[in-house]
Amino acid sequence: MSLVRRRLLSTAAAVAAARGPPPVRVALTDSAGRGVFATRPIANGEVLHSAQPLVTHPSRSLFHEVCYRCLRRKAGKGGDSRGDCYFCSDACREHAEGFHGIEKKADWSLLDDHCSSRGLKYPYMVKRLACMVISGDVGADCLDILQPAQLHQGTLIEMEEEFEFLKSTFRKAGFQEELTTFLTKQWYINVLARIRVNAFRIELVASSYEDLLSSAVASVTCDASVGNAVYMLPSFYNHDCDPNTHIVWLENADAKLMTLRDIDEGEELRICYIDTSMDVNARQKILTEGFGFQCHCQRCLSGD
């Protein structure tokens, strides 16, 4: 995305904010549970709303290249790189003080080794959420409203193993029992089931050659995104392989939802959960195995 395009999108977001509440509502659909609908006609390219993440976590390969909280890319030698991770500003360091303070009290080597050897990323988000709960930043039920993924027996066995790593790490760190009473096997499975199906891969708009190079390096290590994040309202958008809405990230994990074509009042707003350039068979395989549903959008039905 060009600098001009970035500025236009930022200006559009400011205009949308000045108009008042987002022109959307959440309601039940005929076949896909909850969905997001337009409350008025919406023009192509309009920014519907922004969304701040409930929980984020950077890619393991980019710990010192993106902010540990907001996932903003490191610019030159700026920011605060003290300790084992990078913060883009004092504000982000202060905002992360609660969960990061909890994290620093424990030895996460067992969980790190387990996740690294299996290429796992979502257990890190559960770890962060658990630290946020212990620090008092959020409630243990903050993700309950989100739709959980369908879990297979093999997945449940893996989750139980991951839970034991997490529980034992807190126990060895000497956390008082009353601080971790929420941390049960069922809580872990429920949270991870929601993160697995609702987490977004955060791919920031590259603004420089250095950003493009960093993205290429991450891609070689099988992690092209700067991290993952879970949101509230964006998680209610249903999928379509020919979407009318798009989610973008400019500088950090704060998301912006914008339309890809003119929208009628009452029309459902849908995003694409995967790469739209894939053929129908590849799309169906990923959606079935990764999201637990078979897509019946018009594009898939036509065989495109």
Side-chain angles (χ1 to χ4, degrees):
M1 185 181 291
S2 67
L3 180 59
V4 173
R5 176 64 169 160
R6 287 165 56 84
R7 287 175 175 171
L8 287 174
L9 184 53
S10 295
T11 300
V15 171
R19 288 175 177 169
V24 301
R25 64 182 177 87
V26 177
L28 290 176
T29 67
D30 293 333
S31 59
R34 292 170 299 195
V36 181
F37 296 82
T39 58
R40 61 166 171 79
I42 304 172
N44 178 23
E46 182 173 333
V47 175
L48 299 169
H49 62 87
S50 298
Q52 293 186 334
L54 300 172
V55 59
T56 65
H57 201 280
S59 300
R60 288 288 300 171
S61 60
L62 297 175
F63 261 26
H64 295 281
E65 302 300 326
V66 302
C67 180
Y68 198 53
R69 174 185 170 258
C70 78
L71 309 185
R72 183 190 301 268
R73 287 191 179 278
K74 189 175 184 178
K77 296 182 179 180
D80 186 350
S81 296
R82 292 174 292 170
D84 59 348
C85 55
Y86 159 73
F87 288 98
C88 69
S89 64
D90 289 338
C92 272
R93 177 173 285 277
E94 291 171 4
H95 195 280
E97 186 176 359
F99 72 77
H100 192 224
I102 299 297
E103 287 183 7
K104 291 190 295 184
K105 294 179 181 179
D107 178 4
W108 299 101
S109 56
L110 287 177
L111 183 65
D112 287 343
D113 291 344
H114 175 81
C115 292
S116 296
S117 65
R118 292 165 172 78
L120 302 176
K121 53 190 176 182
Y122 297 140
Y124 289 120
M125 298 187 73
V126 183
K127 178 195 80 172
R128 173 164 294 186
L129 186 63
C131 291
M132 292 170 70
V133 174
I134 292 173
S135 69
D137 289 343
V138 298
D141 60 351
C142 65
L143 300 187
D144 284 1
I145 193 173
L146 302 182
Q147 183 73 20
Q150 295 180 354
L151 303 176
H152 303 292
Q153 185 60 36
T155 303
L156 288 172
I157 294 174
E158 292 177 358
M159 287 182 172
E160 290 174 359
E161 185 178 9
E162 295 158 10
F163 164 74
E164 293 301 332
F165 282 126
L166 185 65
K167 185 73 173 181
S168 64
T169 297
F170 281 123
R171 184 172 58 251
K172 291 176 182 178
F175 284 93
Q176 297 178 353
E177 188 70 25
E178 57 265 27
L179 293 177
T180 59
T181 53
F182 72 92
L183 189 56
T184 63
K185 185 184 300 182
Q186 192 60 49
W187 179 86
Y188 183 90
I189 291 174
N190 286 341
V191 167
L192 189 53
R194 284 164 170 79
I195 288 176
R196 283 169 64 98
V197 77
N198 290 288
F200 287 83
R201 284 168 46 90
I202 309 304
E203 299 180 357
L204 303 181
V205 175
S207 59
S208 67
Y209 173 77
E210 288 75 15
D211 283 352
L212 288 171
L213 182 61
S214 179
S215 296
V217 171
S219 180
V220 170
T221 59
C222 301
D223 205 344
S225 67
V226 296
N228 296 88
V230 174
Y231 304 84
M232 186 61 70
L233 182 53
S235 292
F236 293 148
Y237 282 75
N238 286 316
H239 166 84
D240 197 297
C241 294
D242 184 22
N244 57 15
T245 306
H246 185 47
I247 183 168
V248 295
W249 298 271
L250 296 181
E251 299 176 340
N252 55 28
D254 290 348
K256 298 187 188 309
L257 280 292
M258 62 180 297
T259 55
L260 293 173
R261 53 178 176 264
D262 291 342
I263 306 295
D264 294 328
E265 181 177 352
E267 183 178 350
E268 184 178 2
L269 298 159
R270 289 181 172 240
I271 60 176
C272 188
Y273 295 172
I274 57 177
D275 184 354
T276 58
S277 67
M278 294 185 293
D279 64 39
V280 61
N281 292 328
R283 297 198 311 271
Q284 289 289 356
K285 178 178 175 61
I286 292 177
L287 290 170
T288 300
E289 296 179 357
F291 294 89
F293 67 88
Q294 187 174 11
C295 184
H296 297 288
C297 72
Q298 289 301 313
R299 184 182 174 195
C300 284
L301 293 176
S302 70
D304 179 13

